Amino acid sequence: DQLPKSNIAERKTIGERLVELTWNSGDINELPALERYLEVAKQLNDEKLIETTEFNILIAKNISKNLDIELIEEKINKSFFEINGFKFDGTMISYSDLMKKFGKPTKIETIEDECGIYLSNILYHYSDFIISVDKENNKAELVETFFKPNTKFYFDVKSIISQQISEKNFILKFGNYLNYSFKNPHYYSFPLDAGTFTIHFKDGKLF
């Protein structure tokens, strides 16, 4: 703050260092550093830097650092996917329904799953998702979903996540449930006891 406003280059360097420091700390409020950096961006009249910094300020203001993990887990446990008009039981579908509704996969992958994260070590790849299958027990579970026009995620009865939602509106609506790292931009996670549920935006759209 003691640097003269005319010393833009030095203010930009210090601003970058302050922002980087808050990002690396993980527990410092990023907002003051970002707001100072925005002043420099406006001085430089750098439209791209202004846009990026304003977006980061939106995140800093709306994504909470004090999350209620139990509440998030409760909501995720009641959530479900709808793909091509088929409503999954959360992320689950019977193997028979998978074959009936989506047919044969485009690719079958065998993976190592020593930690037992998936239903089995067999993954079926489809254009809309990747799914772990357990034919013996007639079960399948979504591993990764690609948000296309026919994909919806029902976070609750009133909150549907689809390609219709912009990244900005997603942050404003779900910020109280999300984890975010500025070092991994555009990836947002709903934290759970057993891991995370991650959503990715690319070029402002769900990916």
Side-chain angles (χ1 to χ4, degrees), residues 35-183:
E35 288 176 336
R36 290 182 186 183
Y37 195 47
L38 180 61
E39 290 179 14
V40 176
K42 288 180 176 178
Q43 269 191 286
L44 292 166
N45 199 27
D46 186 329
E47 292 185 7
K48 180 63 176 175
L49 187 58
I50 291 170
E51 181 184 349
T52 301
T53 307
E54 285 180 340
F55 185 77
N56 287 336
I57 286 172
L58 175 79
I59 291 171
K61 284 183 174 180
N62 290 280
I63 292 186
S64 174
K65 290 187 178 294
N66 301 305
L67 300 176
D68 186 338
I69 304 299
E70 287 187 9
L71 175 61
I72 297 169
E73 187 126 10
E74 180 182 326
K75 283 187 169 289
I76 291 293
N77 286 339
K78 294 178 181 178
S79 67
F80 63 91
F81 277 94
E82 180 181 326
I83 302 174
N84 290 337
F86 184 92
K87 291 182 178 179
F88 285 66
D89 181 7
T91 56
M92 302 293 295
I93 183 176
S94 68
Y95 181 80
S96 54
D97 279 342
L98 177 68
M99 292 294 99
K100 190 185 304 179
K101 176 64 181 177
F102 299 100
K104 293 181 179 180
T106 57
K107 175 184 174 182
I108 298 176
E109 180 183 8
T110 302
I111 61 169
E112 292 184 9
D113 185 27
E114 295 177 358
C115 296
I117 296 172
Y118 305 117
L119 284 179
S120 75
N121 65 337
I122 305 296
L123 301 183
Y124 280 14
H125 290 245
Y126 293 85
S127 61
D128 297 287
F129 55 84
I130 300 172
I131 194 163
S132 172
V133 300
D134 180 357
K135 293 172 64 174
E136 186 176 336
N137 293 299
N138 194 32
K139 292 179 181 180
E141 183 176 24
L142 291 169
V143 170
E144 185 173 357
T145 304
F146 311 114
F147 276 89
K148 296 188 176 183
N150 54 9
T151 305
K152 296 177 182 177
F153 176 66
Y154 290 79
F155 185 70
D156 58 36
V157 177
K158 297 180 180 178
S159 303
I160 301 172
I161 299 173
S162 71
Q163 276 195 344
Q164 302 303 312
I165 194 168
S166 68
E167 189 170 3
K168 178 180 177 180
N169 286 337
F170 174 79
I171 293 164
L172 292 172
K173 190 164 189 174
F174 298 100
N176 287 332
Y177 306 106
L178 298 172
N179 267 340
Y180 184 82
S181 170
F182 285 100
K183 293 189 289 184

Side-chain angles (χ1 to χ4, degrees), residues 21-28 30 65:
L21 176 65
T22 62
W23 290 358
N24 289 333
S25 72
D27 58 359
I28 296 176
E30 302 92 354
K65 290 187 178 294

